[in-house]
Amino acid sequence: MIFYLHIHTQNAVIFDNEGIDLPNFAAAKAEAIRGARSMMCSEVLVGELDLDQKIEIHAPADHCLGTVEFTDALSIRGDRDRVAHRHVNA
């Protein structure tokens, strides 16, 4: 089955016009999680991380089957209040 993984950032929606052929929704969700983690890695490499993003999993008829919030794609350990208010100069 073809699944479309649409990326929602704070400023834009990046539509997946090609889709990916996967056996089922569980595989599509796993792919969305991998994609979210990959995007977060790229952001961290430049000293940023925006957790207010998500990937929507759509069926061919543009029906949303589910959503992977970036915050659901990883575990965060440590003092979140301290981390949230800290600014790093590189």
Side-chain angles (χ1 to χ4, degrees):
M1 179 175 184
I2 302 293
F3 294 92
Y4 299 88
L5 306 178
H6 303 313
I7 301 166
H8 292 254
T9 69
Q10 286 190 24
N11 302 318
V13 177
I14 303 164
F15 292 100
D16 176 4
N17 295 319
E18 296 178 18
I20 185 168
D21 190 11
L22 296 167
N24 53 41
F25 175 75
K29 185 173 182 180
E31 185 66 25
I33 290 170
R34 276 191 294 277
R37 289 175 177 166
S38 177
M39 289 178 63
M40 286 186 274
C41 285
S42 296
E43 290 180 2
V44 168
L45 286 173
V46 296
E48 299 177 357
L49 181 57
D50 181 1
L51 294 175
D52 292 328
Q53 300 181 82
K54 64 184 177 183
I55 297 177
E56 286 186 350
I57 304 164
H58 284 251
D62 201 34
H63 175 72
C64 183
L65 302 173
T67 301
V68 172
E69 302 282 343
F70 277 35
T71 54
D72 295 334
L74 74 159
S75 293
I76 299 173
R77 289 184 297 275
D79 184 346
R80 291 182 189 203
D81 291 331
R82 184 173 51 91
V83 171
H85 295 93
R86 185 176 178 183
H87 180 72
V88 178
N89 292 319

